[in-house]
């Protein structure tokens, strides 16, 4: 998925979440000063980065999972999403749940937004991603399936 597709997905997701927030189908809790039409700024950034972080998880884990163990990717990718959400927005969750002042929440929200921006950038420029860009894995069809698989 190219950057243009990621941006398009992020904008679609943001519009969808903002719309359902306006109709009170979903509400983010707390006195959050980073809300933009009902969607926290850090969530806007985070939601756009989820697929990139999930892809990086596959890139790093797949070579170590052979045979039937590759099925573990079905658990690892959603776990990476949850871990991303927890680690990058933990300061804001802490602030919202401890009654921090609005100015403190704004600072924490900006820190969470910066962390959500930094994580996908770290993934894109990781040694694993750089190696893949330098030496791409050629695609081939697996005999009889028509499915493309990478080979090393």
């Amino acid at each position: 998925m190219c950057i243009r597709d990621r941006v398009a997905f992020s904008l679609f997701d943001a519009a969808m979440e903002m719309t359902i927030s306006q109709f009170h189908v979903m509400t983010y809790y707390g006195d959050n000063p980073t809300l933009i039409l009902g969607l926290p700024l850090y969530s806007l950034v985070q939601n756009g980065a989820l697929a990139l972080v999930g892809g990086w998880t596959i890139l790093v884990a797949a070579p170590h999972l052979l045979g039937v163990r590759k099925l573990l990717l079905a658990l690892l990718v959603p776990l990476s999403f949850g871990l991303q959400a927890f680690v990058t927005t933990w300061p804001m969750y802490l602030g919202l749940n401890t009654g921090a002042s609005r100015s403190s929440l704004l600072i924490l929200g900006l820190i969470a937004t910066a962390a959500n921006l930094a994580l996908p950038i770290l993934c894109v420029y990781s040694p694993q991603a750089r190696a893949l860009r330098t030496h791409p894995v050629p695609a081939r069809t697996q005999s009889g399936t028509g499915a493309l698989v990478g080979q090393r």
Side-chain angles (χ1 to χ4, degrees), residues 14-72:
M16 182 183 66
E17 284 196 45
M18 288 174 179
T19 301
I20 63 175
S21 290
Q22 294 305 306
F23 288 104
H24 306 288
V25 174
M26 177 179 83
T27 305
Y28 285 92
Y29 66 91
D31 186 23
N32 191 334
T34 69
L35 292 180
I36 300 170
L37 294 175
L39 180 65
L41 179 62
Y42 51 85
S43 291
L44 186 75
V45 175
Q46 183 180 78
N47 293 346
L50 286 173
L52 198 147
V53 172
W56 182 83
T57 301
I58 292 170
L59 175 68
V60 172
H64 304 289
L65 300 172
L66 304 175
V68 77
R69 289 186 179 176
K70 282 218 189 283
L71 293 174
L72 289 174

Side-chain angles (χ1 to χ4, degrees), residues 44-137:
L44 186 75
V45 175
Q46 183 180 78
N47 293 346
L50 286 173
L52 198 147
V53 172
W56 182 83
T57 301
I58 292 170
L59 175 68
V60 172
H64 304 289
L65 300 172
L66 304 175
V68 77
R69 289 186 179 176
K70 282 218 189 283
L71 293 174
L72 289 174
L73 290 172
L75 297 173
L76 285 177
V77 172
L79 282 173
S80 73
F81 294 170
L83 218 67
Q84 174 188 357
F86 176 75
V87 169
T88 58
T89 53
W90 177 78
M92 188 61 175
Y93 295 146
L94 190 61
L96 285 169
N97 287 297
T98 58
S101 68
R102 264 185 84 73
S103 58
S104 296
L105 287 173
L106 180 60
I107 292 167
L108 292 171
L110 294 174
I111 290 169
T113 302
N116 276 294
L117 280 169
L119 185 60
I121 291 169
L122 289 172
C123 290
V124 167
Y125 292 103
S126 70
Q128 298 88 348
R130 285 178 186 241
L132 185 65
R133 284 192 301 274
T134 305
H135 307 289
V137 177

